[in-house]
Amino acid sequence: MKIPAENNHSDPVSEFILLGFPCTWEVQILLFSIFFVIYVLTLMGNLCIIYAVWWNDHLHTPMYILLANFSFLEIWYVTSTVPNMLANFLSETNSISFYGCFIQFYFFFSMGTTETFFLSAMAFDRYLAICRPLHYPAVMTVQRCIRIGAGCWVCGFSCFLLPVYLISQLPFCGPNTIDHFLCDPGPLMNLSCVAAPATEIICAIFNSVLIFSTFLFITSSYTLVIRAVLRVPSAEGRHKAFSTCGSHLAVVSLFYGSIMVMYVSPTAGNPAGIQKIVTLFYSVMTPLFNPLIYSLRNKEMKQALTKLFRIMRPGQRQPLKN
């Protein structure tokens, strides 16, 4: 694929070209098929978790309500980028409008931010359940869990307003080719007509504070959890606690390990190839792995999914308990 000619530098950019993965037509069809299958499997896996929690009375607890919210988030998280990427595999122009680019930018990173808050809420829930079991029923009620979930959504979609606004105010007058498959802040800032070190530093500080604060909160919570689990006298009790927390820690490791490579340092330090691979991992592969991790490592979820597949008949769904 040839990179489109640069715009006249006196004309403001009205659209961007997402270069994506330049390759032959045959390879693009192969990539389209692979990512289409991954997208469908991701939707199916996360929908199964949502339905299992919704239909199974035994899972109407704060931990699984947060997990259902997390799966719902993952569906929209992957949908914010993959359908457009799939369309570009079959398109000759690979174009996205100026406003469409910033809308994708906002929703993709807002949902990524919301994910960090949900992972923090899930870590706090496990800390209360294991380290403060006597206080857990009074502190983490279903109503409070719903309020925490709502807070995660609101905060996640509020936090990224500032970076999106700052980058959108930069002058873009050409070229308009983004060497990426989505509207990422690093490549976007590289296309600005003027250098914007202040905006880049502000975005780097913002990302670092957000990522490290939630990561430290999560790791601190699980450190206390692991310490408490190791004091459990029975091997069965330790195994049950570790199986639940292990799935959470696996998801945290996958997600934070990849985003730290990208966003805790100024974006200019990351080559385009690394940006694409790392972004592909946390934006496409991680939402696919999460349902597998939770269903395979969690005995209750595994049983609920098995039951769901057996009894999916009209009239089986029961209302969610408060």
Side-chain angles (χ1 to χ4, degrees), residues 103-125:
I103 288 172
Q104 183 193 64
F105 173 20
Y106 171 69
F107 278 99
F108 176 69
F109 285 94
S110 292
M111 284 184 279
T113 303
T114 305
E115 184 161 340
T116 65
F117 291 139
F118 266 110
L119 289 172
S120 300
M122 294 162 78
F124 180 65
D125 174 76

Side-chain angles (χ1 to χ4, degrees), residues 53-189:
V53 173
W54 180 266
W55 283 355
N56 196 309
D57 290 338
H58 189 58
L59 300 184
H60 293 175
T61 61
M63 182 179 80
Y64 291 106
I65 291 173
L66 289 173
L67 176 57
N69 270 270
F70 187 75
S71 293
F72 181 75
L73 170 66
E74 292 288 68
I75 289 173
W76 290 107
Y77 183 55
V78 73
T79 300
S80 67
T81 57
V82 173
N84 184 72
M85 181 175 67
L86 293 175
N88 285 340
F89 280 129
L90 305 179
S91 171
E92 295 183 358
T93 60
N94 294 4
S95 64
I96 184 171
S97 70
F98 181 90
Y99 293 107
C101 183
F102 279 93
I103 288 172
Q104 183 193 64
F105 173 20
Y106 171 69
F107 278 99
F108 176 69
F109 285 94
S110 292
M111 284 184 279
T113 303
T114 305
E115 184 161 340
T116 65
F117 291 139
F118 266 110
L119 289 172
S120 300
M122 294 162 78
F124 180 65
D125 174 76
R126 290 300 84 204
Y127 162 76
L128 287 176
I130 295 174
C131 299
R132 298 288 186 270
L134 298 179
H135 298 88
Y136 181 78
V139 175
M140 189 60 78
T141 61
V142 171
Q143 290 83 358
R144 184 163 291 153
C145 173
I146 293 173
R147 287 197 293 268
I148 290 173
C152 291
W153 285 102
V154 172
C155 292
F157 276 80
S158 300
C159 285
F160 237 87
L161 289 171
L162 177 61
V164 171
Y165 173 77
L166 291 175
I167 297 175
S168 68
Q169 297 307 300
L170 297 176
F172 295 95
C173 50
N176 67 338
T177 300
I178 300 176
D179 192 5
H180 214 307
F181 62 88
L182 55 80
C183 292
D184 191 81
L188 272 174
M189 284 189 282

Side-chain angles (χ1 to χ4, degrees), residues 4 13 36 61 105 129 133 237 254 258 263 280 289:
V13 168
F36 179 77
T61 61
F105 173 20
L254 286 172
S258 54
Y263 300 115
L280 193 66
F289 294 150

